[in-house]
Amino acid sequence: MILVIGGAGYIGSHLVKELVKTNEVVVLDNLSTGHRWAIDERATFVEGNLGNETDLDHIFSTYDIQAVMHFAANSLVGESVVDPLKYYENNVSATLTLLKTMVKHHVKKFIFSSTAATYGIPTVDIITEDTATHPINPYGRSKLMIEQILADFAHAYELEYVILRYFNAAGAYETAEIGERHDPETHLIPIILQHLLGEREHISVFGSDYDTEDGTCIRDYIHVTDLAHAHLLALQVLLDGKKKTATYNLGNGLGYSVKEVIKTCERVTGKKANVIMANRRAGDPARLVASSDKIYQELGWKAQFSLEQIIQSAWKWHQNSVKVTK
Ligand code: UDP
């Protein structure tokens, strides 16, 4: 049995949809930002907190858990700057309780959702796993702290782990049964699509004076289903005992500016956006683009979806989501 913490959230729910095809799955989620409708019905659902040792003790003594996959975190750069306590409590302190309880119950295999935000402002154009990590916001720091704790736990308690550093997750499940739904929404692609559906008056571009070709921030967008497939491979190498510890970037290797993303959304939807130039958002680096060569070399994983396909799937989801989320 695999325990997926945060399996009701955006990325976790997409992973669960793939994982249930070959594994028994228990999902722990407090539904603070995730959704009950997003959890695949083949998974066993436990409503509870990863920072609550009693909830965790219950799960580890009830089910035979072979590995834990941890998606439950707050993940908004801007929010982390104004409310760092929330990030250190939920992302660091609660995860520490989880790791402590895992060690207590002799559960030794762990997949951790980390982030490109651990790199801060990189001095290279393409980020590899060896690029120095100097996060510039509390969100990135909270994730890096857990990465460091994992290395110490591996050394001292034989914890085995794979850290996956996501770049910008986007897109939706192929059937449009599930997709991205945050409240409030802050991510670029859903905001553009909501605007193009008439749910917002305009799109604000946060900063047009960055040191990039068109002055707007460049990000590496990766389909959520590609992320899910990388997790399955990471889980398999841990279960097979082929790796004890590893850290991998997960990205497309291609950078797109905010303006290019807006243009692609216009092309995919056939609609014209009303775009307003706004101030920079605190904590945003100008450019974050991944090299995912390491995971390709070691596990054979490569992103399959282009930006266009990502947006097509997200558009299908946004049109369908009114029905699903009712
Ligand atoms: N962004 C923007 N307008 C918005 C939302 C986001 O210009 O309404 C920009 C944001 O400043 C960043 C990029 O789009 O440069 C991607 O932001 P998002 O919040 O989607 O992901 P992040 O990179 O923060 O994880």
Side-chain angles (χ1 to χ4, degrees), residues 75-78 115 139 167-169 180 186-192 200 203-207 210 216-219 221 258 262 280-281 284-286 288:
S75 60
L76 303 178
V77 165
T115 168
Y139 168 55
F167 282 64
N168 286 61
E180 189 166 12
T186 65
H187 292 106
L188 182 62
I189 292 176
I191 281 184
I192 299 169
R200 294 171 184 267
I203 305 158
S204 300
V205 172
F206 299 143
Y210 283 97
T216 66
C217 285
I218 292 177
R219 293 287 181 276
Y221 295 87
V258 174
I262 294 171
R280 290 182 176 198
R281 188 175 67 176
D284 273 345
L288 289 172

Side-chain angles (χ1 to χ4, degrees), residues 30-271:
N30 64 7
L31 300 180
S32 61
T33 56
H35 310 282
R36 186 68 187 84
W37 51 257
I39 306 170
D40 191 285
E41 55 195 20
R42 287 164 284 183
T44 303
F45 174 52
V46 177
E47 188 169 346
N49 278 311
L50 79 127
N52 181 325
E53 222 172 313
T54 314
D55 289 349
L56 294 173
D57 277 333
H58 167 72
I59 290 175
F60 287 120
S61 25
T62 309
Y63 304 101
D64 180 19
I65 305 292
Q66 295 160 278
V68 177
M69 307 177 88
H70 177 26
F71 296 85
N74 296 114
S75 60
L76 303 178
V77 165
E79 183 189 55
S80 81
V81 175
V82 293
D83 193 1
L85 178 62
K86 178 173 175 180
Y87 280 70
Y88 293 122
E89 268 181 353
N90 291 346
N91 293 3
V92 182
S93 178
T95 302
L96 193 58
T97 302
L98 166 66
L99 294 173
K100 180 174 92 175
T101 317
M102 282 178 63
V103 171
K104 186 167 87 184
H105 289 268
H106 310 288
V107 177
K108 295 276 170 84
K109 297 181 195 288
F110 190 62
I111 311 270
F112 181 57
S113 302
S114 190
T115 168
T118 53
Y119 293 109
I121 300 176
T123 51
V124 290
D125 277 350
I126 302 289
I127 299 170
T128 69
E129 293 79 0
D130 294 331
T131 301
T133 45
H134 297 298
I136 59 163
N137 50 60
Y139 168 55
R141 278 191 280 277
S142 72
K143 288 288 181 177
L144 187 58
M145 284 174 193
I146 295 299
E147 290 196 9
Q148 291 163 336
I149 290 169
L150 287 175
D152 291 339
F153 273 43
H155 179 74
Y157 311 126
E158 297 175 336
L159 188 80
E160 297 170 16
Y161 64 82
V162 177
I163 292 167
L164 297 172
R165 292 181 178 153
Y166 311 157
F167 282 64
N168 286 61
Y173 199 66
E174 55 178 343
T175 58
E177 281 165 79
I178 55 171
E180 189 166 12
R181 168 59 63 116
H182 299 108
D183 192 17
E185 189 52 75
T186 65
H187 292 106
L188 182 62
I189 292 176
I191 281 184
I192 299 169
L193 297 180
Q194 285 174 355
H195 164 63
L196 294 175
L197 272 175
E199 294 167 18
R200 294 171 184 267
E201 279 184 10
H202 62 265
I203 305 158
S204 300
V205 172
F206 299 143
S208 47
D209 58 350
Y210 283 97
D211 185 17
T212 59
E213 287 79 0
D214 66 17
T216 66
C217 285
I218 292 177
R219 293 287 181 276
D220 178 333
Y221 295 87
I222 170 90
H223 198 289
V224 66
T225 299
D226 277 330
L227 290 183
H229 290 152
H231 284 77
L232 297 184
L233 292 172
L235 177 65
Q236 207 51 53
V237 285
L238 280 188
L239 293 178
D240 292 348
K242 291 197 176 132
K243 286 233 172 257
K244 301 265 183 239
T245 66
T247 301
Y248 298 115
N249 285 342
L250 294 180
N252 240 308
L254 296 170
Y256 292 96
S257 73
V258 174
K259 282 186 181 167
E260 286 173 325
V261 174
I262 294 171
K263 278 212 180 70
T264 312
C265 288
E266 288 182 330
R267 204 166 49 241
V268 166
T269 63
K271 293 173 184 283

